[in-house]
Amino acid sequence: MTRHALSYADWSGAEYRSVARSLLGGRVRQGRASTQLAQRLDADYAPSRAYALNYAHTALALALAAFKRRRPQRDVVLVPAYICPSVVSTISACGLQAQPVAVGDDLNLDMAALRQALEQAPLALVAPHMFACPLPIDAIETQCRAAGVFLVDDAAQVAGVRHQGRLLGTFGDVGLLSFAQSKTIVTGIRGSGGVLLVNDPALDEELGAACAALPPSPGRLAALLEFCWNYLWAERTGASGDHLERLLDTLGLRPADAGAVQARISNLDAGIALAQWPRLEGIVAARRRVAEHYHAALQEQQAIGFPQFAPGRYLARVMLLLPAGSDLAACRKQLRQQGIQSRLGYRVPFPDQPTTRHAQDLSTRLLGLPSGAAISAADSREICQRLGRILTQFHLKA
Ligand SMILES: Cc1ncc(COP(=O)(O)O)c(C=O)c1O
């Protein structure tokens, strides 16, 4: 039976060579790569200014603090009801209130719901392109400007990707990029890189100084080892990763709360990002192809949806929508037994309420399937056929 594993990153020899250079040169935290990455990002994203940090949510926290200083009477930050939970916890950690806005079937902000929410004079809107499915960010930029609401173009999942010719992340007041696993550019896990794009020149002096004051990221060697072992090499290392994690914990090599550490990107991670950047077009083209394969394979499986698909669209993950009432856990177990890895989407980080209900429903039915560059048309057909059989043969209904 062919095994189909999830892919969290697409590394070539260039990324490994960059790791070797940083290690052999004793330049894990600081070095030339950090400066070179900053120069590269500044050139690509001009006229926006780019600051390479450890997380996208470090960038978000700095931006929210700057917004709050300008509009101290406002506390509400709008986010889609379907969102990476770290965005919501970052907003709370800044002493602000994350308010969910309903999403559509494509997991992106619902435009009618957004228009209404903007009328309530929030401080800011965080607008992600979920799993790389692009938002109508130009229209959102116009609406936020008219409403006097700060806009964060959350391009965490789409570093280097353009929408109608313009780089995502450059709309609104600031933009975010992330280099953590399962994104577009992937350098590692937990704090392996995030970028603050300052699109409004009036914010640049303050935000540039805040970024420059941060230390370079600590603990990156252990994170690299964990990333390689548990993600990049997972097919070969299997469950031994759990043992490694316990060992790192015992040796105290893992920072206790890495998510809360605000830092600049390490030299190690900057070097990996630089090595991967020239391969971006190929990475995006391969995932477009894989999405097309799944779409074609699903023509035989009418009960399974692919709500984010559009011809020619790049998607960072293939997230399929199972029929209402499907038992997602049982389905994943059956797939696992047949050698097919799968994953869940995000849990909805809000209590049940009318604006979150659709996101909640989608999140209980979304299934992520293997979508690395190696997935062929035949692979996706086999995976979809097995999934279809599981859903019908086992009557996986709640
Ligand atoms: C849309 C979105 N925004 C922000 C983030 C936070 O990124 P980071 O982990 O680099 O802080 C994520 C992470 O998955 C994300 O998907």
Side-chain angles (χ1 to χ4, degrees):
M1 184 168 31
T2 325
R3 296 182 62 78
H4 298 289
L6 290 171
S7 159
Y8 298 95
D10 175 3
W11 276 27
S12 68
E15 285 85 341
Y16 288 105
R17 281 195 294 280
S18 163
V19 168
R21 270 195 302 277
S22 298
L23 295 185
L24 295 174
R27 303 238 176 270
V28 171
R29 283 191 83 187
Q30 304 200 64
R32 275 215 332 251
S34 310
T35 320
Q36 287 167 347
L37 178 65
Q39 288 166 348
R40 163 108 217 207
L41 290 167
D42 264 340
D44 283 7
Y45 282 87
S48 300
R49 292 300 312 275
Y51 300 96
L53 307 172
N54 59 340
Y55 284 101
H57 68 254
T58 300
L60 177 62
L62 297 179
L64 290 176
F67 299 162
K68 179 71 181 162
R69 278 191 284 276
R70 281 161 179 74
R71 305 249 167 79
Q73 72 286 7
R74 296 192 184 187
D75 284 325
V76 169
V77 179
L78 302 177
V79 297
Y82 190 89
I83 179 79
C84 171
S86 75
V87 170
V88 174
S89 49
T90 300
I91 293 168
S92 305
C94 290
L96 299 168
Q97 186 200 333
Q99 184 176 305
V101 177
V103 294
D105 285 345
D106 64 357
L107 304 172
N108 277 337
L109 287 162
D110 175 272
M111 293 300 281
L114 176 62
R115 255 190 307 279
Q116 272 188 6
L118 285 174
E119 282 168 12
Q120 291 152 28
L123 173 67
L125 164 69
V126 180
H129 309 271
M130 189 47 65
F131 303 134
C133 182
L135 273 172
I137 190 73
D138 35 4
I140 292 176
E141 183 182 54
T142 308
Q143 287 176 24
C144 283
R145 213 167 269 157
V149 173
F150 290 107
L151 171 60
V152 179
D153 179 5
D154 184 347
Q157 302 178 351
V158 277
V161 175
R162 287 173 192 272
H163 176 60
Q164 294 171 350
R166 187 165 151 193
L167 277 165
L168 292 175
T170 63
F171 292 80
D173 300 281
V174 302
L176 311 177
L177 310 178
S178 172
F179 301 153
Q181 77 279 6
S182 304
K183 307 292 194 305
T184 298
I185 293 282
V186 179
T187 54
I189 46 161
R190 281 189 287 102
S192 64
V195 177
L196 174 63
L197 296 166
V198 182
N199 306 327
D200 176 359
L203 293 166
D204 189 48
E205 193 179 338
E206 179 181 344
L207 286 172
C211 293
L214 296 176
S217 189
R220 298 314 304 163
L221 256 188
L224 173 73
L225 185 58
E226 194 183 332
F227 173 64
C228 290
W229 207 267
N230 286 349
Y231 292 84
L232 272 185
W233 308 333
E235 271 188 84
R236 276 172 228 123
T237 54
S240 63
D242 296 339
H243 307 310
L244 178 71
E245 252 172 59
R246 274 198 289 277
L247 180 68
L248 290 175
D249 279 341
T250 312
L251 296 175
L253 281 172
R254 238 161 39 134
D257 188 2
V261 175
Q262 292 196 337
R264 284 183 281 125
I265 195 168
S266 70
N267 189 64
L268 174 77
D269 294 310
I272 301 169
L274 273 172
Q276 201 167 108
W277 214 275
R279 300 178 44 241
L280 188 69
E281 247 179 62
I283 292 171
V284 166
R287 301 230 185 111
R288 269 200 196 109
R289 213 165 37 239
V290 171
E292 300 275 358
H293 292 333
Y294 272 98
H295 179 253
L298 287 168
Q299 300 314 302
E300 296 170 5
Q301 311 292 337
Q302 292 297 326
I304 305 170
F306 191 0
Q308 294 194 300
F309 177 81
R313 176 179 288 166
Y314 161 64
L315 291 172
R317 301 185 191 185
V318 167
M319 299 298 291
L320 301 188
L321 188 66
L322 303 192
S326 299
D327 184 340
L328 205 52
C331 186
R332 294 188 66 212
K333 189 171 167 205
Q334 293 287 342
L335 285 171
R336 196 164 50 244
Q337 285 169 358
Q338 298 186 29
I340 299 169
Q341 279 188 345
S342 65
R343 62 177 146 197
L344 303 174
Y346 295 122
R347 68 177 171 79
V348 174
F350 297 103
D352 188 32
Q353 53 191 289
T355 48
T356 63
R357 207 147 291 152
H358 190 51
Q360 203 73 257
D361 172 51
L362 294 171
S363 76
T364 59
R365 295 164 55 199
L366 279 168
L367 184 69
L369 288 174
S371 53
I375 294 289
S376 65
D379 292 333
S380 53
R381 191 145 181 263
E382 184 193 355
I383 293 169
C384 291
Q385 280 175 347
R386 289 194 189 184
L387 179 57
R389 269 200 298 274
I390 288 170
L391 285 169
T392 51
Q393 276 178 8
F394 295 90
H395 301 292
L396 287 172
K397 296 279 172 194

